[in-house]
Amino acid sequence: MRAFRLQVANALDGKRLEIGRAIVRWLAIGYIFSLIGLIPIASAIASFGNFLWVIALLITTANHPMHQGLHDRWAGSVVVRPAEAGAGGSGWATACLISVGIMLLFVLFSIVGLIFLGSQLSNILSAVGSSM
């Protein structure tokens, strides 16, 4: 959110979000599924539930006039961009550069992994195939 210069504020007065409402928002975003996922038996169900919940949040956020998802409505919060003197579009540029950098790191790590595991890759895949 810093890359886009966004802040979470109280929906009623625009002031800083209180800790109780922030915790409600944090849990409602889906981090409760991460906590449930710490239990080994429930991790697969929690991952699937988190996936469905994120889709629901995206849909409710896109369809609300103020772009408040269920998590924002429950917590009474709203995401705002505070007015700053001389604020340009550098937040977008920074966010794009960070995103491109992360994608390049994933590609680089994949290539390095294939270099190290290249000769063993067929053995690994056949072992996985025979274990199923």
Side-chain angles (χ1 to χ4, degrees):
M1 292 182 65
R2 281 189 181 164
F4 292 107
R5 293 192 174 133
L6 299 174
Q7 293 179 351
V8 178
N10 190 341
L12 297 176
D13 56 9
K15 293 183 181 176
R16 190 175 194 174
L17 202 62
E18 297 99 19
I19 189 71
R21 290 181 184 260
I23 291 172
V24 168
R25 186 177 190 274
W26 183 80
L27 290 172
I29 282 177
Y31 288 109
I32 189 72
F33 290 108
S34 298
L35 296 175
I36 294 170
L38 294 175
I39 303 168
I41 296 172
S43 65
I45 296 170
S47 295
F48 184 68
N50 190 27
F51 174 73
L52 294 177
W53 183 245
V54 168
I55 291 173
L57 289 181
L58 287 172
I59 291 170
T60 58
T61 303
N63 290 329
H64 193 269
M66 289 185 57
H67 298 290
Q68 286 180 301
L70 291 175
H71 59 295
D72 283 322
R73 289 183 234 166
W74 290 343
S77 63
V78 66
V79 177
V80 295
R81 178 173 299 168
E84 296 178 12
S90 66
W92 287 99
T94 304
C96 288
L97 285 175
I98 291 171
S99 299
V100 168
I102 289 172
M103 286 188 276
L104 288 175
L105 282 175
F106 280 134
V107 170
L108 180 68
F109 287 147
S110 300
I111 291 171
V112 169
L114 284 174
I115 289 171
F116 284 118
L117 294 175
S119 61
Q120 301 171 355
L121 196 56
S122 62
N123 295 336
I124 293 170
L125 291 176
S126 64
V128 168
S130 64
S131 68
M132 292 183 170

Short mmCIF file of all heavy atoms in Angstrom, two decimals, residues 59-69 73 78:
data_model
loop_
_atom_site.label_atom_id
_atom_site.label_comp_id
_atom_site.label_asym_id
_atom_site.label_seq_id
_atom_site.Cartn_x
_atom_site.Cartn_y
_atom_site.Cartn_z
N ILE A 59 -14.67 -9.61 -5.75
CA ILE A 59 -15.97 -9.33 -6.37
C ILE A 59 -16.71 -8.25 -5.58
O ILE A 59 -17.25 -7.30 -6.16
CB ILE A 59 -16.81 -10.62 -6.48
CG1 ILE A 59 -16.17 -11.55 -7.52
CG2 ILE A 59 -18.26 -10.32 -6.85
CD1 ILE A 59 -16.77 -12.94 -7.55
N THR A 60 -16.74 -8.38 -4.25
CA THR A 60 -17.47 -7.38 -3.46
C THR A 60 -16.79 -6.02 -3.50
O THR A 60 -17.46 -4.99 -3.46
CB THR A 60 -17.63 -7.84 -1.99
OG1 THR A 60 -16.34 -8.08 -1.42
CG2 THR A 60 -18.48 -9.09 -1.91
N THR A 61 -15.47 -6.00 -3.59
CA THR A 61 -14.76 -4.73 -3.69
C THR A 61 -15.04 -4.06 -5.02
O THR A 61 -15.25 -2.85 -5.09
CB THR A 61 -13.24 -4.93 -3.49
OG1 THR A 61 -13.02 -5.56 -2.23
CG2 THR A 61 -12.50 -3.62 -3.54
N ALA A 62 -15.03 -4.82 -6.09
CA ALA A 62 -15.26 -4.26 -7.43
C ALA A 62 -16.69 -3.77 -7.61
O ALA A 62 -16.93 -2.81 -8.35
CB ALA A 62 -14.93 -5.30 -8.48
N ASN A 63 -17.65 -4.40 -6.93
CA ASN A 63 -19.05 -4.05 -7.14
C ASN A 63 -19.57 -2.98 -6.19
O ASN A 63 -20.71 -2.53 -6.34
CB ASN A 63 -19.93 -5.30 -7.02
CG ASN A 63 -19.72 -6.23 -8.18
OD1 ASN A 63 -19.42 -5.80 -9.29
ND2 ASN A 63 -19.85 -7.51 -7.94
N HIS A 64 -18.80 -2.54 -5.22
CA HIS A 64 -19.25 -1.53 -4.27
C HIS A 64 -18.89 -0.13 -4.80
O HIS A 64 -17.81 0.06 -5.36
CB HIS A 64 -18.58 -1.77 -2.91
CG HIS A 64 -19.21 -0.99 -1.80
ND1 HIS A 64 -18.77 0.26 -1.45
CD2 HIS A 64 -20.24 -1.28 -0.98
CE1 HIS A 64 -19.49 0.71 -0.45
NE2 HIS A 64 -20.40 -0.21 -0.15
N PRO A 65 -19.79 0.85 -4.65
CA PRO A 65 -19.51 2.19 -5.19
C PRO A 65 -18.25 2.84 -4.60
O PRO A 65 -17.57 3.59 -5.28
CB PRO A 65 -20.75 3.01 -4.82
CG PRO A 65 -21.76 2.06 -4.32
CD PRO A 65 -21.10 0.75 -4.06
N MET A 66 -17.95 2.56 -3.34
CA MET A 66 -16.76 3.14 -2.72
C MET A 66 -15.61 2.14 -2.69
O MET A 66 -14.61 2.36 -2.01
CB MET A 66 -17.08 3.61 -1.30
CG MET A 66 -17.96 4.84 -1.27
SD MET A 66 -18.21 5.48 0.38
CE MET A 66 -16.55 5.76 0.92
N HIS A 67 -15.75 1.05 -3.41
CA HIS A 67 -14.74 -0.02 -3.47
C HIS A 67 -14.39 -0.56 -2.09
O HIS A 67 -13.23 -0.79 -1.78
CB HIS A 67 -13.49 0.46 -4.21
CG HIS A 67 -13.77 0.84 -5.63
ND1 HIS A 67 -14.08 -0.08 -6.59
CD2 HIS A 67 -13.81 2.05 -6.24
CE1 HIS A 67 -14.29 0.54 -7.72
NE2 HIS A 67 -14.15 1.83 -7.54
N GLN A 68 -15.42 -0.76 -1.30
CA GLN A 68 -15.25 -1.40 0.01
C GLN A 68 -15.66 -2.85 -0.12
O GLN A 68 -16.80 -3.15 -0.45
CB GLN A 68 -16.12 -0.73 1.07
CG GLN A 68 -15.64 0.63 1.53
CD GLN A 68 -16.58 1.20 2.55
OE1 GLN A 68 -17.76 1.40 2.28
NE2 GLN A 68 -16.05 1.47 3.73
N GLY A 69 -14.74 -3.74 0.15
CA GLY A 69 -15.07 -5.15 0.18
C GLY A 69 -15.75 -5.50 1.49
O GLY A 69 -15.96 -4.64 2.36
N ARG A 73 -16.24 -3.24 4.97
CA ARG A 73 -17.57 -2.95 5.51
C ARG A 73 -17.70 -3.46 6.94
O ARG A 73 -18.26 -2.78 7.80
CB ARG A 73 -18.65 -3.57 4.64
CG ARG A 73 -18.78 -2.86 3.31
CD ARG A 73 -19.90 -3.44 2.49
NE ARG A 73 -19.33 -3.81 1.19
CZ ARG A 73 -19.93 -4.57 0.32
NH1 ARG A 73 -21.10 -5.10 0.59
NH2 ARG A 73 -19.36 -4.84 -0.83
N VAL A 78 -12.09 2.24 5.14
CA VAL A 78 -12.04 2.57 3.73
C VAL A 78 -10.58 2.82 3.38
O VAL A 78 -9.80 3.29 4.21
CB VAL A 78 -12.93 3.80 3.41
CG1 VAL A 78 -12.40 5.06 4.06
CG2 VAL A 78 -13.08 3.99 1.92
#
